[in-house]
Amino acid sequence: MNLRFWGTRGSIATPGPSTIEFGGNTSCVEVVTNSGARFIFDCGTGARPLGAHLMAHAQKPIVATIMLSHTHWDHIQGFPFFAPLFVPGNRFLVCGPPGAKTSLPEVLSGQMEYTYFPVELAQLGAKITYQDLAEGAHELQGVRVSAQLLNHPAIALGYRVEADGASLLYLCDHEPFWEPLWHSAAAVGRLESILHDGDRRHALFMQGADVVIHDAQYTPEEYAPKKNWGHSTYSYVTQIAAAAGVKRLILTHHDPTHDDAFLSGIEMRAQDLAASMGSPMEVSCAREGYEASFEHEALDKTSVTEIHSSDPSHSGSLLVLIVDDDEDLRFLARKALVHAGHTVLEAGSGEEGLSLIEIHKPDLLLLDLNMPGMNGFEVLRRLRTRETGRPLPVIVLTALGDEESARSSFQFGATDFLIKPFTPPQLDVRVRACFAHADRL
Ligand SMILES: [Zn+2]
Ligand SMILES: [Zn+2]
């Protein structure tokens, strides 16, 4: 398959003399398989030059699948400027995660209302169809594409394409579940040394891949004040990809404040880090206009991660039980979850929580650790001991940000571990992801 970067920048387009080498357009990557299936990953401002290129050079009519990771501005702003959409006869399938409250066409047409843009979505000449994607394997244009939820304060999907004997992943935007990545006492660089199950799932998704294109917006020094904004550091990405046995890592979604000289520095630091781990992985920063072909004589079937499909209709509205002795926290969590369309039950103690689980059979449990009487670990232990069917997804939501609390929570059977304070969209995304993953406990 052939890969070409049309947009490598995160957040906002950054044109000018200081970004000529790595590029100023926002996220857009084109992948074309040997059979001619064309995939466009995200429609940031890079979609405009891609559209112009296709109009001039591609076979007509133009047919492509547009894979949106999510609908933050920098991933959809080029959509109305993608010229092939205006031409009758062209056909596009637009895929992406279902919005929490709004459908994909509603979000895309929202940015094309007359207030913002002169032509409405419905007036475009091409035939455009839409498909909500859930986690799991999908067949698109005869190509296997797997999707997995990312850790971002909006519902965002990462994609793994298997074609022509090669595997390529597009993982934007994503933030570490836990920093640093590893158990403090374990050997760095091994999948089993990853502390948080969310990071391990992320590593398994990219395991053995030929190419991984990954959000790496920050340096480790920049990360602390930008925690919960939904982006990775090059250090996290390099370490997790090396542990997953990735052959080629391309860092993208460059921060708007990083000029060419700064990105060259990041590229060198990431290469040194991979080498220091003893990894043969090639690492580079994405350059706008960069093009490469990837083929593999024989696909190593053992490296293909099987991802269970989940039903997107189940992820709409969930019954969530919050167990926390802190009334203010329950209020904030309830507000965030009700706003996201969920129904909420509350318990102020572990004992009350367990009895509400018996009576109401909630879809998901949000559990505090430090409570008077029965603490969260004991609630988890009792819950897991008496369960027989599908395990209840449990997100531990705690002020205890230490490694031991996280490790113990996973040992006792937590599905996810989230440290207070949280942001409302972050909580909604983790609830939906946790519900989708729970049957794989
Ligand atoms: Zn972004
Ligand atoms: Zn984003």
Side-chain angles (χ1 to χ4, degrees):
M1 61 183 127
N2 198 65
L3 157 74
R4 185 158 173 183
F5 283 91
W6 293 91
T8 58
R9 197 59 57 173
S11 306
I12 190 163
T14 318
S18 66
T19 57
I20 282 172
E21 184 183 353
F22 291 93
N25 277 305
T26 53
S27 302
C28 184
V29 174
E30 180 192 21
V31 173
V32 183
T33 67
N34 293 352
S35 63
R38 174 173 277 111
F39 293 90
I40 299 166
F41 291 95
D42 281 334
C43 277
T45 61
R48 195 199 61 79
L50 166 60
H53 175 83
L54 294 176
M55 293 289 277
H57 302 289
Q59 199 187 338
K60 309 296 181 308
I62 299 167
V63 178
T65 302
I66 296 174
M67 310 287 300
L68 297 177
S69 59
H70 62 311
T71 53
H72 278 165
W73 275 351
D74 50 325
H75 300 259
I76 60 166
Q77 265 185 332
F79 185 82
F81 299 91
F82 183 64
L85 291 174
F86 291 78
V87 180
N90 291 343
R91 297 193 307 276
F92 298 95
L93 172 64
V94 182
C95 299
K101 285 186 157 177
T102 332
S103 72
L104 218 43
E106 278 170 340
V107 176
L108 292 173
S109 63
Q111 73 161 354
M112 294 175 75
E113 284 174 9
Y114 286 129
T115 316
Y116 310 109
F117 196 73
V119 183
E120 293 209 306
L121 183 66
Q123 296 173 304
L124 295 176
K127 180 171 169 31
I128 308 171
T129 47
Y130 301 88
Q131 185 176 338
D132 283 347
L133 292 182
E135 281 204 333
H138 307 273
E139 177 106 355
L140 299 165
Q141 293 186 77
V143 176
R144 184 190 145 108
V145 181
S146 305
Q148 184 163 287
L149 287 161
L150 301 171
N151 189 30
H152 196 59
I155 300 168
L157 282 175
Y159 298 111
R160 178 173 179 134
V161 181
E162 312 276 353
D164 311 322
S167 47
L168 176 145
L169 286 96
Y170 178 78
L171 305 172
C172 282
D173 298 346
H174 175 84
E175 172 163 22
F177 285 87
W178 191 268
E179 268 279 299
L181 182 59
W182 316 105
H183 282 288
S184 56
V188 165
R190 302 160 69 114
L191 290 178
E192 57 273 25
S193 305
I194 293 176
L195 181 88
H196 197 293
D197 280 0
D199 291 317
R200 186 172 301 102
R201 192 182 321 111
H202 192 61
L204 289 171
F205 188 44
M206 62 177 100
Q207 193 170 26
D210 293 282
V211 189
V212 168
I213 301 162
H214 202 298
D215 166 8
Q217 182 147 351
Y218 307 130
T219 64
E221 298 78 20
E222 292 168 329
Y223 180 62
K226 290 165 178 177
K227 208 168 156 46
N228 290 343
W229 289 15
H231 300 289
S232 294
T233 66
Y234 75 80
S235 161
Y236 165 83
V237 180
T238 304
Q239 292 183 73
I240 200 166
V246 169
K247 295 177 186 68
R248 174 107 201 251
L249 173 64
I250 307 179
L251 307 169
T252 192
H253 206 274
H254 306 315
D255 192 88
T257 65
H258 293 172
D259 61 13
D260 287 337
F262 196 90
L263 284 168
S264 293
I266 286 185
E267 191 170 61
M268 272 191 289
R269 287 171 73 183
Q271 287 164 350
D272 289 349
L273 179 57
S276 74
M277 293 173 72
S279 166
M281 180 173 73
E282 279 180 57
V283 188
S284 57
C285 284
R287 287 163 170 80
E288 193 175 310
Y290 174 78
E291 198 172 0
S293 287
F294 297 95
E295 282 174 52
H296 219 77
E297 306 73 54
L299 178 62
D300 178 5
K301 292 284 180 197
T302 57
S303 71
V304 178
T305 313
E306 280 302 325
I307 303 164
H308 299 251
S309 295
S310 55
D311 179 354
S313 63
H314 275 306
S315 56
S317 174
L318 303 173
L319 177 61
V320 181
L321 171 62
I322 307 169
V323 180
D324 198 314
D325 59 314
D326 180 346
E327 206 176 315
D328 294 340
L329 185 287
R330 294 204 307 270
F331 171 78
L332 290 173
R334 181 179 69 229
K335 202 172 155 203
L337 292 171
V338 168
H339 179 75
H342 304 296
T343 307
V344 172
L345 290 168
E346 293 177 43
S349 70
E351 292 84 348
E352 191 190 349
L354 282 172
S355 66
L356 287 183
I357 291 169
E358 282 286 300
I359 300 164
H360 296 285
K361 311 260 181 282
D363 296 312
L364 186 135
L365 173 62
L366 213 56
L367 178 65
D368 185 26
L369 286 181
N370 219 350
M371 294 182 285
M374 192 188 295
N375 70 20
F377 294 121
E378 183 58 19
V379 173
L380 261 177
R381 195 190 64 75
R382 292 197 190 187
L383 176 69
R384 294 304 184 218
T385 313
R386 73 187 191 193
E387 271 173 343
T388 48
R390 184 186 195 259
L392 177 65
V394 179
I395 302 178
V396 169
L397 180 62
T398 174
L400 302 175
D402 62 294
E403 181 182 330
E404 189 49 43
S405 298
R407 265 165 83 160
S408 302
S409 296
F410 287 120
Q411 272 163 10
F412 279 102
T415 324
D416 193 2
F417 185 93
L418 183 59
I419 301 168
K420 299 170 189 173
F422 58 86
T423 64
Q426 182 192 28
L427 183 65
D428 178 41
V429 168
R430 296 288 276 265
V431 160
R432 289 171 195 277
C434 187
F435 181 75
H437 298 142
D439 50 358
R440 272 149 274 154
L441 281 174

